[in-house]
C-alpha cells in the first residue's frame, strides 16, 4: 500500500516540482489520486490520513487543477466501478449537512418570530414594564408550584 500525503503537503510538493507523475486510479466507488514523488508513490489523503476517494473524475480534476496546479495526469479506470453498494459513505458530511439543515430551519423559525413581533399592533413595553410583568408571571407560577407541593405533602402524610 502506498504512503499517503495530505493536500497541504501535496501542494508544497507540486509547487516545488517534486511530483513526477499523477495518476487518477479507478476503484470501486470512485477515484483516488496517486503521485509519483522520487521513487515512491503517495496517495492523496483526507485529514484523517486515509486515502481520499473522489466520487468522479470531475471532483478529482477540480482539486488537481485548482488546489495543486497540476494539469497533466493519467487516468487508470480499470478498477473503477460505479456500483452504489461499493461506494464509500461519508458520515462526517452527512452529519454536517444535517446540522446545516437544522440551522437553516432554526434561522427561519427566528425570522418568522421577528416578523410576527414587528407586525404585532400592541404598544411596545419599556424594560421596567416588561420586568414588572415577568415578576408577576413568576410570582403566579411560584404560587401554583407551592400550592401543588403543599397538596402533595398532605397526600403523603
Amino acid at each position: 500500500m502506498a504512503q499517503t500525503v495530505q493536500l497541504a503537503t501535496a501542494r508544497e510538493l507540486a509547487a516545488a516540482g517534486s511530483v513526477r507523475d499523477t495518476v487518477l486510479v479507478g476503484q470501486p466507488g470512485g477515484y483516488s489520486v496517486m503521485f509519483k514523488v522520487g521513487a515512491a508513490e503517495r496517495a492523496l489523503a483526507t485529514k484523517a490520513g486515509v486515502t481520499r476517494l473522489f466520487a468522479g473524475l470531475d471532483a478529482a480534476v477540480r482539486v488537481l487543477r485548482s488546489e495543486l496546479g497540476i494539469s497533466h495526469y493519467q487516468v487508470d479506470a480499470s478498477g473503477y466501478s460505479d456500483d452504489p453498494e461499493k461506494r464509500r459513505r461519508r458520515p462526517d458530511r452527512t452529519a454536517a449537512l444535517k446540522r446545516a439543515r437544522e440551522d437553516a430551519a432554526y434561522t427561519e423559525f427566528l425570522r418568522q418570530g421577528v416578523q410576527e413581533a414587528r407586525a404585532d399592533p400592541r404598544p411596545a413595553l419599556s424594560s421596567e414594564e416588561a420586568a414588572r410583568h415577568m415578576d408577576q408571571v413568576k410570582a403566579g407560577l411560584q404560587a401554583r408550584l407551592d400550592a401543588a407541593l403543599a397538596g402533595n405533602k398532605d397526600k403523603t402524610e
Side-chain angles (χ1 to χ4, degrees), residues 5-12 35 44-46 52 63 67-68:
V5 61
Q6 293 184 351
L7 185 62
T9 306
R11 187 179 296 120
E12 291 174 14
F35 302 108
L44 184 61
T46 64
R52 185 170 178 180
V63 168
E67 297 285 331
L68 303 174

Side-chain angles (χ1 to χ4, degrees), residues 7-81:
L7 185 62
T9 306
R11 187 179 296 120
E12 291 174 14
L13 290 169
S18 299
V19 177
R20 290 188 304 121
D21 197 13
T22 305
V23 182
L24 301 176
V25 181
Q27 298 181 6
Y31 290 88
S32 63
V33 178
M34 298 295 293
F35 302 108
K36 290 185 182 170
V37 181
E41 281 193 349
R42 296 180 181 249
L44 184 61
T46 64
K47 289 180 182 178
V50 297
T51 301
R52 185 170 178 180
L53 188 66
F54 293 91
L57 286 172
D58 298 0
V61 169
R62 203 170 17 257
V63 168
L64 287 176
R65 296 186 83 176
S66 65
E67 297 285 331
L68 303 174
I70 296 174
S71 57
H72 297 286
Y73 47 87
Q74 297 176 42
V75 177
D76 174 6
S78 61
Y80 177 73
S81 168

